[in-house]
mmCIF file with all atom_site columns, all heavy atoms in Angstrom:
data_model
loop_
_atom_site.group_PDB
_atom_site.id
_atom_site.type_symbol
_atom_site.label_atom_id
_atom_site.label_alt_id
_atom_site.label_comp_id
_atom_site.label_asym_id
_atom_site.label_entity_id
_atom_site.label_seq_id
_atom_site.pdbx_PDB_ins_code
_atom_site.Cartn_x
_atom_site.Cartn_y
_atom_site.Cartn_z
_atom_site.occupancy
_atom_site.B_iso_or_equiv
_atom_site.pdbx_formal_charge
_atom_site.auth_seq_id
_atom_site.auth_comp_id
_atom_site.auth_asym_id
_atom_site.auth_atom_id
_atom_site.pdbx_PDB_model_num
ATOM 1  N N   . LEU A 1 8  ? 1.891  6.980  -6.647  1.00 0.00 ? 9  LEU A N   1
ATOM 2  C CA  . LEU A 1 8  ? 0.968  8.003  -7.076  1.00 0.00 ? 9  LEU A CA  1
ATOM 3  C C   . LEU A 1 8  ? 1.543  9.374  -6.829  1.00 0.00 ? 9  LEU A C   1
ATOM 4  O O   . LEU A 1 8  ? 1.320  10.258 -7.645  1.00 0.00 ? 9  LEU A O   1
ATOM 5  C CB  . LEU A 1 8  ? -0.349 7.805  -6.243  1.00 0.00 ? 9  LEU A CB  1
ATOM 6  C CG  . LEU A 1 8  ? -1.237 6.655  -6.588  1.00 0.00 ? 9  LEU A CG  1
ATOM 7  C CD1 . LEU A 1 8  ? -2.429 6.619  -5.693  1.00 0.00 ? 9  LEU A CD1 1
ATOM 8  C CD2 . LEU A 1 8  ? -1.665 6.771  -8.054  1.00 0.00 ? 9  LEU A CD2 1
ATOM 9  N N   . MET A 1 9  ? 2.207  9.583  -5.762  1.00 0.00 ? 10 MET A N   1
ATOM 10 C CA  . MET A 1 9  ? 2.837  10.906 -5.474  1.00 0.00 ? 10 MET A CA  1
ATOM 11 C C   . MET A 1 9  ? 3.884  11.282 -6.512  1.00 0.00 ? 10 MET A C   1
ATOM 12 O O   . MET A 1 9  ? 3.924  12.397 -6.948  1.00 0.00 ? 10 MET A O   1
ATOM 13 C CB  . MET A 1 9  ? 3.439  10.903 -4.069  1.00 0.00 ? 10 MET A CB  1
ATOM 14 C CG  . MET A 1 9  ? 2.396  10.818 -2.954  1.00 0.00 ? 10 MET A CG  1
ATOM 15 S SD  . MET A 1 9  ? 3.188  10.712 -1.323  1.00 0.00 ? 10 MET A SD  1
ATOM 16 C CE  . MET A 1 9  ? 4.036  12.302 -1.232  1.00 0.00 ? 10 MET A CE  1
ATOM 17 N N   . MET A 1 10 ? 4.676  10.269 -6.865  1.00 0.00 ? 11 MET A N   1
ATOM 18 C CA  . MET A 1 10 ? 5.701  10.522 -7.910  1.00 0.00 ? 11 MET A CA  1
ATOM 19 C C   . MET A 1 10 ? 5.094  10.878 -9.258  1.00 0.00 ? 11 MET A C   1
ATOM 20 O O   . MET A 1 10 ? 5.533  11.734 -9.968  1.00 0.00 ? 11 MET A O   1
ATOM 21 C CB  . MET A 1 10 ? 6.661  9.269  -8.027  1.00 0.00 ? 11 MET A CB  1
ATOM 22 C CG  . MET A 1 10 ? 7.497  9.025  -6.839  1.00 0.00 ? 11 MET A CG  1
ATOM 23 S SD  . MET A 1 10 ? 8.565  7.584  -7.026  1.00 0.00 ? 11 MET A SD  1
ATOM 24 C CE  . MET A 1 10 ? 9.590  8.198  -8.372  1.00 0.00 ? 11 MET A CE  1
ATOM 25 N N   . CYS A 1 11 ? 4.006  10.152 -9.584  1.00 0.00 ? 12 CYS A N   1
ATOM 26 C CA  . CYS A 1 11 ? 3.299  10.443 -10.866 1.00 0.00 ? 12 CYS A CA  1
ATOM 27 C C   . CYS A 1 11 ? 2.790  11.834 -10.831 1.00 0.00 ? 12 CYS A C   1
ATOM 28 O O   . CYS A 1 11 ? 2.824  12.614 -11.836 1.00 0.00 ? 12 CYS A O   1
ATOM 29 C CB  . CYS A 1 11 ? 2.186  9.417  -11.078 1.00 0.00 ? 12 CYS A CB  1
ATOM 30 S SG  . CYS A 1 11 ? 2.754  7.770  -11.506 1.00 0.00 ? 12 CYS A SG  1
ATOM 31 N N   . ALA A 1 12 ? 2.185  12.252 -9.684  1.00 0.00 ? 13 ALA A N   1
ATOM 32 C CA  . ALA A 1 12 ? 1.617  13.596 -9.546  1.00 0.00 ? 13 ALA A CA  1
ATOM 33 C C   . ALA A 1 12 ? 2.668  14.624 -9.739  1.00 0.00 ? 13 ALA A C   1
ATOM 34 O O   . ALA A 1 12 ? 2.482  15.682 -10.346 1.00 0.00 ? 13 ALA A O   1
ATOM 35 C CB  . ALA A 1 12 ? 0.933  13.766 -8.238  1.00 0.00 ? 13 ALA A CB  1
ATOM 36 N N   . MET A 1 13 ? 3.874  14.373 -9.175  1.00 0.00 ? 14 MET A N   1
ATOM 37 C CA  . MET A 1 13 ? 4.965  15.357 -9.259  1.00 0.00 ? 14 MET A CA  1
ATOM 38 C C   . MET A 1 13 ? 5.427  15.471 -10.688 1.00 0.00 ? 14 MET A C   1
ATOM 39 O O   . MET A 1 13 ? 5.728  16.579 -11.127 1.00 0.00 ? 14 MET A O   1
ATOM 40 C CB  . MET A 1 13 ? 6.130  14.872 -8.379  1.00 0.00 ? 14 MET A CB  1
ATOM 41 C CG  . MET A 1 13 ? 5.851  15.008 -6.844  1.00 0.00 ? 14 MET A CG  1
ATOM 42 S SD  . MET A 1 13 ? 7.186  14.283 -5.854  1.00 0.00 ? 14 MET A SD  1
ATOM 43 C CE  . MET A 1 13 ? 8.560  15.354 -6.339  1.00 0.00 ? 14 MET A CE  1
ATOM 44 N N   . ILE A 1 14 ? 5.497  14.346 -11.402 1.00 0.00 ? 15 ILE A N   1
ATOM 45 C CA  . ILE A 1 14 ? 5.937  14.401 -12.789 1.00 0.00 ? 15 ILE A CA  1
ATOM 46 C C   . ILE A 1 14 ? 4.927  15.175 -13.632 1.00 0.00 ? 15 ILE A C   1
ATOM 47 O O   . ILE A 1 14 ? 5.305  16.013 -14.484 1.00 0.00 ? 15 ILE A O   1
ATOM 48 C CB  . ILE A 1 14 ? 6.071  12.973 -13.345 1.00 0.00 ? 15 ILE A CB  1
ATOM 49 C CG1 . ILE A 1 14 ? 7.235  12.272 -12.634 1.00 0.00 ? 15 ILE A CG1 1
ATOM 50 C CG2 . ILE A 1 14 ? 6.270  12.954 -14.860 1.00 0.00 ? 15 ILE A CG2 1
ATOM 51 C CD1 . ILE A 1 14 ? 7.413  10.782 -13.005 1.00 0.00 ? 15 ILE A CD1 1
ATOM 52 N N   . VAL A 1 15 ? 3.625  14.903 -13.440 1.00 0.00 ? 16 VAL A N   1
ATOM 53 C CA  . VAL A 1 15 ? 2.586  15.629 -14.166 1.00 0.00 ? 16 VAL A CA  1
ATOM 54 C C   . VAL A 1 15 ? 2.635  17.091 -13.897 1.00 0.00 ? 16 VAL A C   1
ATOM 55 O O   . VAL A 1 15 ? 2.570  17.926 -14.776 1.00 0.00 ? 16 VAL A O   1
ATOM 56 C CB  . VAL A 1 15 ? 1.157  15.037 -13.815 1.00 0.00 ? 16 VAL A CB  1
ATOM 57 C CG1 . VAL A 1 15 ? 0.063  15.938 -14.423 1.00 0.00 ? 16 VAL A CG1 1
ATOM 58 C CG2 . VAL A 1 15 ? 1.028  13.602 -14.344 1.00 0.00 ? 16 VAL A CG2 1
ATOM 59 N N   . THR A 1 16 ? 2.720  17.425 -12.548 1.00 0.00 ? 17 THR A N   1
ATOM 60 C CA  . THR A 1 16 ? 2.856  18.862 -12.192 1.00 0.00 ? 17 THR A CA  1
ATOM 61 C C   . THR A 1 16 ? 4.010  19.567 -12.838 1.00 0.00 ? 17 THR A C   1
ATOM 62 O O   . THR A 1 16 ? 3.943  20.678 -13.320 1.00 0.00 ? 17 THR A O   1
ATOM 63 C CB  . THR A 1 16 ? 2.925  19.022 -10.676 1.00 0.00 ? 17 THR A CB  1
ATOM 64 O OG1 . THR A 1 16 ? 1.796  18.336 -10.047 1.00 0.00 ? 17 THR A OG1 1
ATOM 65 C CG2 . THR A 1 16 ? 2.995  20.461 -10.253 1.00 0.00 ? 17 THR A CG2 1
ATOM 66 N N   . ALA A 1 17 ? 5.179  18.871 -12.859 1.00 0.00 ? 18 ALA A N   1
ATOM 67 C CA  . ALA A 1 17 ? 6.366  19.467 -13.498 1.00 0.00 ? 18 ALA A CA  1
ATOM 68 C C   . ALA A 1 17 ? 6.139  19.656 -14.949 1.00 0.00 ? 18 ALA A C   1
ATOM 69 O O   . ALA A 1 17 ? 6.547  20.637 -15.553 1.00 0.00 ? 18 ALA A O   1
ATOM 70 C CB  . ALA A 1 17 ? 7.539  18.510 -13.269 1.00 0.00 ? 18 ALA A CB  1
ATOM 71 N N   . GLY A 1 18 ? 5.445  18.702 -15.636 1.00 0.00 ? 19 GLY A N   1
ATOM 72 C CA  . GLY A 1 18 ? 5.135  18.839 -17.039 1.00 0.00 ? 19 GLY A CA  1
ATOM 73 C C   . GLY A 1 18 ? 4.314  20.015 -17.312 1.00 0.00 ? 19 GLY A C   1
ATOM 74 O O   . GLY A 1 18 ? 4.495  20.749 -18.282 1.00 0.00 ? 19 GLY A O   1
ATOM 75 N N   . ILE A 1 19 ? 3.281  20.241 -16.452 1.00 0.00 ? 20 ILE A N   1
ATOM 76 C CA  . ILE A 1 19 ? 2.411  21.355 -16.610 1.00 0.00 ? 20 ILE A CA  1
ATOM 77 C C   . ILE A 1 19 ? 3.165  22.689 -16.454 1.00 0.00 ? 20 ILE A C   1
ATOM 78 O O   . ILE A 1 19 ? 2.979  23.635 -17.223 1.00 0.00 ? 20 ILE A O   1
ATOM 79 C CB  . ILE A 1 19 ? 1.248  21.357 -15.569 1.00 0.00 ? 20 ILE A CB  1
ATOM 80 C CG1 . ILE A 1 19 ? 0.320  20.150 -15.902 1.00 0.00 ? 20 ILE A CG1 1
ATOM 81 C CG2 . ILE A 1 19 ? 0.466  22.605 -15.550 1.00 0.00 ? 20 ILE A CG2 1
ATOM 82 C CD1 . ILE A 1 19 ? -0.727 19.874 -14.859 1.00 0.00 ? 20 ILE A CD1 1
ATOM 83 N N   . ALA A 1 20 ? 4.104  22.727 -15.488 1.00 0.00 ? 21 ALA A N   1
ATOM 84 C CA  . ALA A 1 20 ? 4.854  23.949 -15.222 1.00 0.00 ? 21 ALA A CA  1
ATOM 85 C C   . ALA A 1 20 ? 5.746  24.252 -16.415 1.00 0.00 ? 21 ALA A C   1
ATOM 86 O O   . ALA A 1 20 ? 5.832  25.413 -16.855 1.00 0.00 ? 21 ALA A O   1
ATOM 87 C CB  . ALA A 1 20 ? 5.729  23.749 -13.985 1.00 0.00 ? 21 ALA A CB  1
ATOM 88 N N   . VAL A 1 21 ? 6.378  23.204 -17.036 1.00 0.00 ? 22 VAL A N   1
ATOM 89 C CA  . VAL A 1 21 ? 7.223  23.425 -18.173 1.00 0.00 ? 22 VAL A CA  1
ATOM 90 C C   . VAL A 1 21 ? 6.347  23.944 -19.395 1.00 0.00 ? 22 VAL A C   1
ATOM 91 O O   . VAL A 1 21 ? 6.754  24.872 -20.041 1.00 0.00 ? 22 VAL A O   1
ATOM 92 C CB  . VAL A 1 21 ? 7.910  22.125 -18.586 1.00 0.00 ? 22 VAL A CB  1
ATOM 93 C CG1 . VAL A 1 21 ? 8.613  22.286 -19.965 1.00 0.00 ? 22 VAL A CG1 1
ATOM 94 C CG2 . VAL A 1 21 ? 8.931  21.711 -17.551 1.00 0.00 ? 22 VAL A CG2 1
#
Side-chain angles (χ1 to χ4, degrees):
L9 286 178
M10 291 176 64
M11 290 180 66
C12 288
M14 290 173 65
I15 292 172
V16 170
T17 302
I20 293 174
V22 171

